[in-house]
Amino acid sequence: STHPGVEVVLQAVTHCFFCSLLQLTGVLDDCFCDVESIDVFNNFKIYPRIKKLTERDYFRYYKVNLKRPCPFWPDDGHCAIKDCHVEPCPESKVPVGIKSGNYNKYSQAANTMSDMTECEQANELGAINSTLSNQSKEAFADWARHDDAQDHFCELDDETSPDAEYVDLLLNPERFTGYKGPSAWRVWNSIYEENCFKPRSVYRPLNPLAPSRGESKGFYNWLEGLCLEKRVFYRLISGLHSSINIHLCAEYLLDEGWGRSVWGPNVQEFRQRFDTAETKGEGTRRLKNLYFLYLIELRALYKVAPYFERAIVNLYTGNSQEDGETKELLLQIFNEIKAFPMHFDEKSMFAGHKMEAKTLKEEFRLHFKNISRIMDCVGCSKCRLWGKLQTQGLGTALKVLFSEKEIKNLPEHSPSKGFQLTRQEIVALLNVYLSLIYLSIIYLSIDLSSYLCFHTGMPSGISL
C-alpha cells in the first residue's frame, strides 16, 4: 500500500479524469444529493471500515442453494466454463456458531425465556379453534402485523435444504467468468421487459442488451411520466445492472491459456457499456442509477441502525472476542452513516391514497420478488451466487425502508415480534453495500494515475 497522502492525490486526479470523460456530476434524479458529496463520503469515510467488516467471519459466509431449478423456462444447462464453478466451504471451515444454527442476533440472556414442552405448545395452539378469546384475537392480529412488517421482497432459499451450502464470499469473488450469450440475455430481458414498469405506449426495449436500442433521445421522457415509485423501481434495477457490469469489467477473464486464468480490467468492455459516445448518452444515466442505488442502500442502513444498536443483538459466530469487535465496527459504520447529510427520503413513496398506495406497494414488492426468482435461471453458478446475494441485499434494504414503524417500536431487551432480520439478510445487505462502494476506478487504466491506483490497491469506492 502506498502513503495515504499519495492515495488521496491519485484518487482526486483519476476521479476528475473519469468524471470529465463520462460527464458524471451534479444532482441525481429523484433526490437532493449530488455525485461529488457521495464520492467524498464513500471514499474517505465508509470504504475502509465496510471492507474490514465484510472480511469478518459473520459476513463472509453465505448459505445459498445454487441447485434450485429455473421456475420460468426449461433449464438450458449450466455453464461449462471452469470459472463458473463455486467452491462450497468444507464443514470444518465454517465457524461453529454459524453452522450450528445458533447465529440468531440475540444474546444468550435474551433466550432464557420459559421453555415450553412440545405438548404444551400443541395444546395452546390447538385451543385456537372455532371460538376465539380476546387474547387469541390479539395474537392473531399481532401475527398479521408481523407478517405485513416482514415485507419480503425476495424469494428466500430454504436453509434447511440438503442442496443449501455455505460459500466463502472472499474465495468466490464477483467477476466475469465467460458466461454470456442467449442464456444471459434471456435473464436480463425477462427482468427488464417483464418486470420493470413501462407504459404500453413505449415499444423500445428497456433491456440495454437488446440489439435494437434505437435513439436514446427522448427515451427517458416516458420514465419521467411515471409515478415516483415506478421510476425508483427502474432506477434500482438499472443501478443493480450497472453494479454487476462494472464488477465484470474490473475482473474480466482476459486469458485462459496454459491452465491458468488471467483476470484484469477490460477498458474496452467498460467503454462499450458506459462511455457517453458509445452508448448514445445512456452510459451516464446508468452510472447515475448506480449512485441512486447506493443512496437507497445507505438509507436502509441508516434506518436499520436501531435494530443493531440494542444490547440484546449479538453477531454470533462462537468467538466472543471477534463477535464483540465485529459489532463495534458495525456501530462505527452506523455513526458515520448518520452523519451523512443528504439521505434519500423514502417517505415520499407510497404516500398517496391509502388503498392505491397499498396496491402499488404490493405490486412493487411482487415485481421485485419475481426478479429474485429469475436469479435461479442464471446458468453460471458464480453469477447465480452473486445475483442471488445482490437481489436479497436490495430486497432486504427495501424491507427495512418500509418497516420504519416496526423498527421504531423494537424492545430494547427482548426479541421483536414486529421486525426481524435473518443472518442471511444481514450478510446480503452489508455485502451488497460493499459491492457498491468497491466499484473501483481501475477501469481507466489507460492513464497513468488509474494505472497506479490499480497497482497500489488504493480504496476508490464508486468514484466513477
Side-chain angles (χ1 to χ4, degrees):
S1 108
T2 188
H3 188 277
V6 176
E7 291 186 353
V8 171
V9 172
L10 289 174
Q11 188 170 19
V13 170
T14 311
H15 172 262
C16 291
F17 174 81
F18 193 69
C19 284
S20 63
L21 177 67
L22 295 178
Q23 300 175 349
L24 192 62
T25 185
V27 178
L28 301 176
D29 297 325
D30 289 324
C31 56
F32 298 99
C33 188
D34 58 89
V35 169
E36 293 81 0
S37 297
I38 298 175
D39 286 337
V40 172
F41 171 75
N42 177 73
N43 297 340
F44 300 104
K45 298 287 187 180
I46 293 296
Y47 172 78
R49 288 189 174 97
I50 200 77
K51 185 174 186 297
K52 184 177 179 181
L53 180 73
T54 51
E55 289 173 350
R56 291 188 168 271
D57 284 351
Y58 188 89
F59 291 98
R60 69 183 288 181
Y61 296 103
Y62 181 68
K63 196 169 189 180
V64 62
N65 183 355
L66 298 176
K67 298 178 182 178
R68 287 176 55 166
C70 174
F72 299 111
W73 54 77
D75 194 346
D76 52 4
H78 285 273
C79 176
I81 303 172
K82 61 181 177 63
D83 294 301
C84 287
H85 178 66
V86 170
E87 191 65 40
C89 280
E91 190 74 14
S92 59
K93 295 290 185 181
V94 181
V96 61
I98 293 178
K99 67 183 178 183
S100 67
N102 295 324
Y103 48 68
N104 59 24
K105 288 75 57 192
Y106 304 110
S107 61
Q108 188 173 359
N111 290 321
T112 57
M113 301 178 176
S114 57
D115 292 330
M116 251 187 210
T117 66
E118 292 184 7
C119 289
E120 288 174 326
Q121 292 181 35
N123 288 336
E124 181 168 310
L125 292 174
I128 303 175
N129 205 332
S130 57
T131 304
L132 293 177
S133 65
N134 289 333
Q135 182 179 2
S136 297
K137 290 178 181 178
E138 290 175 3
F140 270 132
D142 185 66
W143 292 343
R145 285 193 297 270
H146 173 65
D147 289 341
D148 290 340
Q150 289 301 298
D151 278 329
H152 286 305
F153 285 77
C154 289
E155 187 78 15
L156 304 179
D157 281 347
D158 178 9
E159 293 186 56
T160 63
S161 168
D163 290 329
E165 298 179 293
Y166 285 103
V167 174
D168 186 337
L169 297 175
L170 298 182
L171 298 181
N172 294 275
E174 182 181 11
R175 56 192 182 187
F176 181 65
T177 62
Y179 173 68
K180 55 184 178 181
S183 176
W185 182 88
R186 181 162 53 175
V187 168
W188 281 113
N189 194 64
S190 179
I191 289 173
Y192 278 105
E193 305 303 330
E194 298 173 17
N195 291 281
C196 284
F197 299 95
K198 182 173 71 169
R200 293 181 180 179
S201 59
V202 176
Y203 297 102
R204 203 205 100 151
L206 302 186
N207 184 358
L209 301 178
S212 56
R213 288 182 295 185
E215 294 184 3
S216 61
K217 185 178 180 181
F219 170 51
Y220 283 89
N221 289 343
W222 67 266
L223 185 63
E224 300 307 321
L226 293 177
C227 64
L228 171 64
E229 293 81 3
K230 293 182 179 181
R231 291 201 306 270
V232 166
F233 191 95
Y234 176 81
R235 289 191 169 116
L236 292 178
I237 299 306
S238 175
L240 184 65
H241 196 184
S242 296
S243 170
I244 292 172
N245 281 337
I246 290 176
H247 278 283
L248 302 188
C249 294
E251 292 287 334
Y252 201 87
L253 182 58
L254 301 175
D255 186 22
E256 295 183 90
W258 301 99
R260 179 177 176 272
S261 299
V262 178
W263 307 86
N266 187 326
V267 178
Q268 182 54 43
E269 188 70 25
F270 179 82
R271 284 180 172 275
Q272 183 179 332
R273 295 173 186 266
F274 296 104
D275 181 77
T276 302
E278 294 201 29
T279 62
K280 299 180 181 179
E282 288 189 26
T284 301
R285 291 271 190 173
R286 295 170 190 168
L287 292 174
K288 282 197 171 186
N289 289 337
L290 173 69
Y291 275 74
F292 183 78
L293 174 60
Y294 177 91
L295 285 177
I296 293 293
E297 293 283 343
L298 185 69
R299 182 62 168 173
L301 290 175
Y302 173 88
K303 286 287 186 179
V304 83
Y307 180 85
F308 292 97
E309 289 170 343
R310 298 175 298 160
I312 190 177
V313 173
N314 177 27
L315 303 176
Y316 182 67
T317 66
N319 183 327
S320 58
Q321 180 177 345
E322 176 165 324
D323 294 348
E325 293 173 353
T326 300
K327 182 172 180 180
E328 178 60 31
L329 183 55
L330 180 61
L331 296 182
Q332 291 176 15
I333 292 171
F334 285 140
N335 287 335
E336 293 289 353
I337 290 173
K338 289 177 182 178
F340 185 69
M342 290 178 282
H343 283 279
F344 175 77
D345 183 10
E346 76 288 347
K347 291 181 180 179
S348 56
M349 296 179 63
F350 307 110
H353 186 274
K354 189 172 182 180
M355 287 305 297
E356 292 178 358
K358 184 177 181 180
T359 300
L360 179 59
K361 180 180 177 181
E362 180 64 6
E363 192 177 3
F364 189 103
R365 185 183 72 85
L366 292 177
H367 276 235
F368 193 85
K369 190 171 185 178
N370 208 46
I371 289 174
S372 75
R373 298 177 69 200
I374 294 174
M375 292 301 116
D376 284 319
C377 300
V378 177
C380 164
S381 293
K382 189 165 290 181
C383 307
R384 180 181 293 203
L385 163 66
W386 284 97
K388 288 168 77 75
L389 183 139
Q390 292 206 40
T391 51
Q392 184 172 29
L394 178 52
T396 303
L398 295 172
K399 170 182 169 178
V400 168
L401 291 182
F402 302 136
S403 300
E404 181 177 16
K405 291 181 181 178
E406 289 74 22
I407 295 175
K408 281 185 177 180
N409 294 327
L410 288 171
E412 178 64 30
H413 300 293
S414 63
S416 165
K417 296 180 181 179
F419 179 83
Q420 299 283 1
L421 288 178
T422 67
R423 179 182 166 276
Q424 292 294 96
E425 290 175 311
I426 296 171
V427 171
L429 179 64
L430 270 296
N431 272 281
V432 168
Y433 186 53
L434 171 68
S435 180
L436 290 171
I437 70 176
Y438 189 60
L439 299 176
S440 182
I441 40 180
I442 62 173
Y443 325 119
L444 287 189
S445 55
I446 51 176
D447 77 326
L448 177 60
S449 59
S450 55
Y451 176 82
L452 290 174
C453 289
F454 175 60
H455 287 282
T456 55
M458 62 168 286
S460 56
I462 58 170
S463 291
L464 298 174

